[in-house]
Amino acid sequence: NPDAVFAVPDQPAIQCGLLERIGEDGGILTPAVCEALPPLIIGVCECRPIESVTPAPVAVENPPCSICGEGKEVGNPDAVFAYPNQKPFPCGQLEDIGEAGGLLTPDMCIALPN
């Protein structure tokens, strides 16, 4: 129910539909928050399975990369990094984006650890 309102103590109430769009947009909710939300909102937001749709294959233009450099990983996934002229991202999410490949160019991957 996108019009239902979800509220937790010490946080502003939010409509389920808006919360869903925020989660799908990425960049605002950390992966840890996304994992913790379903059991909390399932009753209020009336969560239900999504009809399965097979997505068309997408060519990956940029290979996966480690944003911290080879052999290193993010130690503070909640810290926020802002690449010049780009949207700021929590480091954990940026690491996930790099590991998935496609979005970060090889030049960006080389520059990030520096």
Side-chain angles (χ1 to χ4, degrees), residues 57-84:
V58 177
V60 176
E61 294 179 21
N62 298 308
C65 71
S66 170
I67 65 162
C68 292
E70 282 303 312
K72 296 180 183 174
E73 66 181 7
V74 169
N76 184 357
D78 297 325
V80 176
F81 175 78
Y83 197 76

Side-chain angles (χ1 to χ4, degrees), residues 5-110:
V5 176
F6 173 71
V8 293
D10 301 322
Q11 297 294 322
I14 186 169
Q15 286 186 315
C16 293
L18 178 57
L19 184 60
E20 181 177 40
R21 285 192 302 276
I22 289 170
E24 290 172 346
D25 183 41
I28 296 175
L29 300 178
T30 65
V33 170
C34 282
E35 288 179 26
L37 278 175
L40 300 173
I41 66 169
I42 196 164
V44 174
C45 295
E46 300 174 23
C47 299
R48 62 182 182 269
I50 298 172
E51 291 183 28
S52 77
V53 176
T54 304
V58 177
V60 176
E61 294 179 21
N62 298 308
C65 71
S66 170
I67 65 162
C68 292
E70 282 303 312
K72 296 180 183 174
E73 66 181 7
V74 169
N76 184 357
D78 297 325
V80 176
F81 175 78
Y83 197 76
N85 301 317
Q86 299 293 321
K87 177 180 169 183
F89 281 96
C91 292
Q93 185 177 7
L94 190 59
E95 181 174 49
D96 292 342
I97 290 169
E99 289 173 351
L103 294 178
L104 300 178
T105 66
D107 289 342
M108 291 172 82
C109 284
I110 290 169

